[in-house]
Every structure is written in structure tokens, then in C-alpha cells.
Amino acid sequence: MRTNSIDVPCETCGAIFRAYSCHTRLGYGRFCSRRCYTSGRRRADHVATYLSHVVKRNGCWGWDGHVNHYGHGVLSGGSRLGRLVAHRISWEIYNGPIPDGLCVLHNCPGGDTPSCTNPSHLFLGTRADNNRDRSRKGRSALGSSNGLSKLTEAIVAD
């Protein structure tokens, strides 16, 4: 046990950990681990970048930054993180962390808008829910539109 240490909450995850009292007075000792330190710093940077790309119109919050081939807005997370999807960042900003194994799905009243980041148009679901939702909205590659298909509809009809 450290002699000059006190219990403090981590700024990222809220876990209680021991830190030197002199470090807390100097502004150090705010994070329980390197992971929480980088996550906390990264989150602050992403909030500012996210807000600079959001365009609010017609109920949906559009995205004027880079969009991936699925139509989702993306942010660059740097070389260590790759790309971050804007609607997931929106969920975390307004609703908190996304539990492991869950996806963030869209439910825009005006129709299917993959680039929407409005937190009231987002909901959590499993991977199966996400696949079902994608099929229902007509965004699944079925038949010959699937890049791995060997047969066309004409060959199957013969």
C-alpha cells in the first residue's frame, strides 16, 4: 500500500483507484489505467470533431464529413484506432457507452438515413437485429448483387 496515496475516481470509467496525493494536487492521477487515459483524451477530441461535422436539418442530424460505402459518417481515429463511425460516437456522447456485443441501429422517421447521427433516431440491438433491420430496409446484397455469387438469376431460371 502506498503511504501518501488517496482513493480517487477515474475520470473515464469511474473506478476507484489509489493515486499519490501530490499527483492529484498537480492535476495528475486522473485515470486508473493507460487505456482509460487514452480513451478519455480521445473522447474529448472526438466530441469536438463530431460536433463540427453535424448538420441539423428536417429532424435528422446529417453528416458533412467523410462517408463510408455503407453511407455512415466516419471520423479518423488515428493510426491506432482506424476509423470511428459517427452514429456510434453520437450514441456514446448522448447516451453513454455501448455495451459489448451491441450495435447502434437507425430508426429515422423520414426513412432510411444511414448518415443520420440524431441520438433520438438511434437504438441499440444485437448483430441479428442489425442484419434483420438491414434486410427489411433493402440494403442486403442478395442474389447476383452479392459480390461472391457464382450464378445469375438467368442461369438459375434455365
Side-chain angles (χ1 to χ4, degrees), residues 51-119:
L51 292 173
S52 71
H53 287 290
V54 171
V55 179
K56 297 179 182 179
R57 58 177 114 83
N58 299 333
C60 282
W61 295 5
W63 184 256
D64 72 351
H66 180 73
V67 178
N68 67 13
H69 61 281
Y70 296 113
H72 298 118
V74 292
L75 288 168
S76 174
S79 60
R80 298 173 89 194
L81 299 171
R83 294 191 169 195
L84 305 167
V85 188
H87 64 278
R88 290 181 64 87
I89 294 171
S90 175
W91 180 273
E92 289 187 347
I93 291 170
Y94 296 101
N95 299 308
I98 301 166
D100 289 338
L102 291 183
C103 304
V104 178
L105 289 69
H106 293 86
N107 188 23
C108 298
D112 186 29
T113 312
S115 63
C116 179
T117 63
N118 185 339

